[in-house]
């Protein structure tokens, strides 16, 4: 019989990880609130995993980086962080969240905003974004209550182009993105223009304060690393399937930790749209972030969740883990948070993809709260839902730990 790989809950790092996996506090801290990426995981979970399995200066890789929780936490802890995502919006958001801005750059953002007060006025002539409109990026945001928000965003965006520093421009775009999300996404009542203006200013101010703290955090983290240089953080717009084609990890420097949360099998999540007034979807976030989308929901979720046996999902997962195996080394740990709409067959199928790629599972020994040696967590009120709506198996998530065999 093959001996099961075990780690003990008596190890303080593992005990903290198990505890952090159960943490139900709303996401906060560092730059996490710059944008609320759908299905993001808890920063406390990410931090605990990074501390348990890596040391300062090590590489941490998130193949499905989404809103960048892993990269933000890894950078703040002095680790080198790499992330991939096929969603340009994820790449935009993670880049902004992980780019430390200097005081001078932040001042530039505030000065820009001071000059905006006059321009953000509904009586001003419209600044229609013709190219984006023609491409459909303003769909469902020109209704009776939504057009003032759209117009204010258009006015702000026409001004943001005047900011010469691209990093500052993206920082402001991100503040607008967060405010737009606050105003439109899943909102029953759309705020009035005045409320939007106020919220935009507050968001930008809060982000500036957070960015100052983040800058210092990154600077201090650099003291931990070998050469006192800020840790590298790289966000790539590519499929995790292709990571082995990039020369990011050298033979002598492979990731110590692959920390991630993939799209969940059979679970609906909208990574690339806001839902306006019920179920009307808009791709407006791409317009605000100045990047292109052009793909349907199933592109971002590894296949159509309505496909009976989720064949496409599991085919892609298999290819992705094969690719992850190529960038791993003997000491790499894969820690992931996954949920299943139908765990009885999907969990074994998922585990077999990892096994085929050459990974063995690691179980937690002595963990009283678990019958199968895995850390499970229950998530109340999750925004996404399983196929069999109501019976939300997807609200139960599991932490899977693996290493190359
Ligand atoms: C659950 S989200 C990750 C959330 C992230 N952990 C966070 O805290 O924000 C899954 C992400 O996987 C991305 N994705 C889907 N297929 C991918 C692929 N083949 N390669 C890389 N990323 C992919 C989606 O675009 C989505 O952003």
């Amino acid at each position: 019989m093959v001996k099961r790989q075990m780690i003990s809950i008596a190890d303080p790092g593992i005990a903290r990880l198990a505890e952090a996996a159960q943490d139900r506090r709303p996401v906060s801290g560092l730059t996490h609130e710059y944008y609320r990426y759908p299905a993001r995981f808890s920063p406390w979970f990410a931090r605990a995993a990074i501390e348990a399995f890596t040391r300062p200066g090590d590489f941490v890789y998130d193949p499905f980086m989404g809103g960048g929780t892993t990269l933000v936490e890894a950078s703040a802890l002095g680790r080198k962080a790499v992330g991939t995502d096929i969603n340009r919006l994820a790449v935009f958001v993670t880049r902004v969240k992980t780019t430390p801005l200097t005081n001078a750059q932040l001042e530039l953002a505030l000065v820009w905003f001071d000059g905006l007060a006059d321009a953000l006025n509904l009586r001003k002539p419209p600044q229609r974004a013709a190219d984006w409109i023609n491409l459909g990026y303003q769909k469902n945001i020109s209704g009776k209550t939504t057009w003032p928000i759209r117009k204010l965003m258009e006015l702000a965006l026409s001004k943001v182009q005047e900011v010469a520093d691209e990093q500052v421009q993206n920082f402001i775009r991100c503040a607008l993105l967060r405010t737009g999300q606050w105003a439109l996404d899943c909102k029953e009542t759309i705020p009035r223009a005045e409320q939007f203006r106020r919220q935009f200013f507050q968001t930008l101010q809060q982000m500036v304060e957070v960015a100052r703290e983040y800058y210092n955090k990154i600077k201090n983290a650099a003291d931990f690393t070998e050469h006192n240089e800020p840790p590298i953080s790289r966000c790539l717009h590519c499929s995790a399937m292709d990571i082995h084609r990039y020369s990011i990890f050298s033979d002598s420097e492979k990731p110590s930790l692959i920390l991630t949360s993939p799209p969940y099998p059979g679970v609906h999540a909208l990574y690339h749209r806001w839902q306006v007034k019920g179920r009307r979807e808009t791709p407006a976030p791409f317009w605000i972030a100045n990047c292109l989308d052009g793909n349907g929901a199933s592109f971002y979720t590894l296949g159509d969740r309505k496909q009976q046996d989720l064949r496409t999902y599991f085919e892609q997962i298999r290819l992705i883990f094969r690719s992850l195996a190529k960038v791993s080394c003997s000491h790499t740990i894969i820690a992931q948070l996954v949920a299943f709409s139908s765990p009885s067959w999907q969990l074994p199928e998922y585990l077999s993809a990892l096994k085929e790629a050459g990974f063995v599972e690691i179980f937690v020994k002595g963990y009283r709260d678990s019958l199968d040696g895995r850390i499970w967590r229950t998530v109340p009120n999750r925004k996404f839902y399983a196929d069999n709506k109501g019976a939300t198996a997807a609200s139960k998530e599991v932490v899977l730990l693996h290493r190359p065999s």
Side-chain angles (χ1 to χ4, degrees):
M1 212 170 87
V2 186
K3 214 167 148 239
R4 293 218 310 176
Q5 295 262 332
M6 296 286 208
I7 41 173
S8 171
I9 196 74
D11 177 326
I14 303 304
R16 270 197 298 274
L17 178 68
E19 202 182 311
Q22 307 302 339
D23 201 317
R24 301 229 177 111
R25 277 177 291 173
V27 173
S28 67
L30 297 172
T31 54
H32 296 299
E33 281 297 271
Y34 279 13
Y35 185 70
R36 297 191 174 177
Y37 198 82
R40 57 196 178 149
F41 54 32
S42 135
W44 295 283
F45 167 72
R47 195 175 307 166
I50 295 164
E51 286 179 333
F53 299 120
T54 68
R55 286 183 303 202
D58 284 354
F59 262 114
V60 177
Y61 168 46
D62 189 340
F64 304 100
M65 76 182 162
T69 314
T70 300
L71 279 81
V72 170
E73 288 294 328
S75 308
L77 289 167
R79 276 61 165 175
K80 294 175 209 150
V82 177
T84 47
D85 205 294
I86 48 171
N87 186 354
R88 285 193 176 86
L89 190 62
V91 176
F92 169 82
V93 168
T94 305
R95 273 204 188 124
V96 176
K97 284 187 185 177
T98 53
T99 303
L101 297 186
T102 61
N103 252 329
Q105 287 178 302
L106 295 170
E107 280 309 313
L108 192 60
L110 289 174
V111 168
W112 174 85
F113 197 89
D114 277 346
L116 189 73
D118 190 42
L120 268 197
N121 185 331
L122 284 183
R123 290 202 195 89
K124 292 274 171 194
Q127 295 286 336
R128 300 312 313 270
D131 292 351
W132 293 98
I133 297 169
N134 292 340
L135 290 168
Y137 284 88
Q138 290 195 356
K139 201 172 161 206
N140 289 328
I141 54 166
S142 295
K144 216 162 76 191
T145 51
T146 49
W147 77 262
I149 306 292
R150 188 217 70 224
K151 179 164 178 183
L152 291 181
M153 294 198 295
E154 273 179 335
L155 292 171
L157 287 173
S158 70
K159 286 272 164 203
V160 85
Q161 287 161 17
E162 294 167 8
V163 179
D165 183 324
E166 201 187 329
Q167 290 181 337
V168 177
Q169 206 186 97
N170 286 338
F171 181 78
I172 296 169
R173 279 182 190 275
C174 192
L176 194 63
L177 189 68
R178 175 72 196 99
T179 316
Q181 186 183 40
W182 166 85
L184 298 172
D185 190 24
C186 301
K187 261 297 179 60
E188 302 230 325
T189 313
I190 305 295
R192 281 173 288 113
E194 185 44 42
Q195 292 170 306
F196 181 87
R197 247 191 311 260
R198 211 176 317 127
Q199 183 71 22
F200 181 32
F201 183 48
Q202 269 175 19
T203 303
L204 193 79
Q205 263 190 330
Q206 277 162 7
M207 280 176 59
V208 166
E209 274 166 40
V210 167
R212 288 207 171 103
E213 284 166 30
Y214 184 71
Y215 183 88
N216 289 330
K217 191 104 195 168
I218 295 295
K219 231 176 95 202
N220 292 339
D223 295 340
F224 290 126
T225 58
E226 232 176 302
H227 309 293
N228 266 8
E229 277 168 15
I232 305 168
S233 170
R234 293 190 65 179
C235 323
L236 304 178
H237 175 239
C238 76
S239 168
M241 221 177 280
D242 295 323
I243 185 62
H244 64 281
R245 298 183 204 283
Y246 288 75
S247 48
I248 301 264
F249 306 112
S250 65
D251 281 345
S252 60
E253 262 202 319
K254 303 276 193 193
S256 304
L257 174 64
I258 296 179
L259 172 61
T260 201
S261 172
Y264 298 162
V267 175
H268 174 65
L270 264 188
Y271 299 114
H272 69 315
R273 294 282 183 269
W274 290 338
Q275 278 183 303
V276 187
K277 309 211 81 187
R279 305 198 110 210
R280 267 172 271 167
E281 294 175 7
T282 181
F286 289 88
W287 156 52
I288 300 165
N290 195 27
C291 57
L292 293 174
D293 163 33
N295 295 291
S298 59
F299 175 74
Y300 299 108
T301 52
L302 295 172
D304 187 345
R305 79 195 152 100
K306 297 211 179 83
Q307 194 181 47
Q308 274 274 305
D309 52 0
L310 298 179
R311 200 177 334 114
T312 313
Y313 179 91
F314 285 108
E315 271 167 15
Q316 294 207 55
I317 279 291
R318 282 187 156 74
L319 291 172
I320 287 170
F321 280 116
R322 266 184 235 158
S323 178
L324 297 188
K326 291 186 191 145
V327 297
S328 301
C329 63
S330 59
H331 69 269
T332 303
I333 297 281
I334 303 194
Q336 36 180 343
L337 197 64
V338 201
F340 304 92
S341 60
S342 190
S344 56
W345 70 271
Q346 290 166 357
L347 175 59
E349 183 86 12
Y350 195 85
L351 291 172
S352 86
L354 276 133
K355 197 170 168 192
E356 273 174 40
F359 295 103
V360 285
E361 189 169 3
I362 311 168
F363 295 91
V364 182
K365 195 168 110 192
Y367 183 42
R368 266 181 302 144
D369 297 342
S370 170
L371 294 175
D372 63 358
R374 300 185 182 107
I375 302 167
W376 289 87
R377 71 182 231 124
T378 305
V379 194
N381 309 324
R382 208 77 215 241
K383 212 173 108 192
F384 54 69
Y385 47 86
D387 244 1
N388 50 346
K389 293 181 194 111
T392 49
S395 63
K396 262 198 122 193
E397 294 173 332
V398 64
V399 179
L400 298 175
L401 301 172
H402 284 80
R403 64 157 55 109
S405 49

